[in-house]
Amino acid sequence: MTSVVFASPHSGRDYPHSFLSRTILDQHTIRSSEDAFVDRLFDSSTRFGAPFLKAGAPRAFIDMNRSAEELDPALIEGVRGGGHNPRIASGLGIIPRVVANGRIIYSGKMSLAEAQARISDYYRPYHTALQKLLDESHARFGEAILIDCHSMPHEAVDGVVRAGKPRPEIVLGDRFGAAADGEIVDQIETAFLDAGLKVARNSPFAGAYTTSHYGRPSRRQHAVQIEIDRSLYMNERLIKPNADFNAFRSLLRGVIARIAEIGMRGEQRLAAE
């Protein structure tokens, strides 16, 4: 067993028929915001004693990696605009207004009651389950380590690649040290590097709601976001696994095992005490 908990908030693909019948996008385009197949990449974590939580609801329907307060007044009736929030302004609040590349999901607005129903029926159960797993890990090991699993478009790092530097394939986000102990992040980075993958930290992704909400190093609750370049394992245009999928999944299985080992130190420490 291990104190590490893996979670995938954006790989859900259970699209309600009522949602598909309402969106102005086709069934392929609506999937463009998915972290497609990330659940399949990380589901081996349970072999190493680490629970894995996957959101079933898709990101285009409701975003588990947002605060419940991030309601978009441009989409939801009765919501008043507050201070500037770049995620809401870009259409990526808890109920997204757009999918990838800014493509509009709906032709009009939805009621506040509908938005609140999605939060009640999908969002809160996910986060209740996640906190329960972290609480159980903390009670058993004296710490909990959340690995928040994501994928990124290949071009997402274009703006941060420096001349002469390797292009990152993995981006670790710990809110610039605020969400996790540096030693833990170092060990996670080493696990990826030893697998031959190129790693960057916090740029261009430092972590969003999940890492900021659950990352409490002073309470021995750590959260690290992992972003994986989609081109390593999938055809982004077709949203299908590519020829390298099984090989990459196998490579990642070894990394997952290494990360799970990090969470065994708490049990070893408690046993020594």
Side-chain angles (χ1 to χ4, degrees), residues 24-44:
I24 61 176
L25 299 175
D26 60 64
Q27 294 191 24
H28 181 81
T29 305
I30 197 67
R31 294 189 62 197
S32 60
S33 287
E34 278 182 28
D35 285 346
F37 316 116
V38 163
D39 54 330
R40 291 174 59 185
L41 293 178
F42 283 92
D43 62 5
S44 65

Side-chain angles (χ1 to χ4, degrees), residues 203-222:
S203 181
F205 304 108
Y209 173 76
T210 300
T211 45
S212 63
H213 179 74
Y214 292 102
R216 296 289 183 268
S218 63
R219 304 176 191 173
R220 302 188 64 78
Q221 180 170 289
H222 311 274

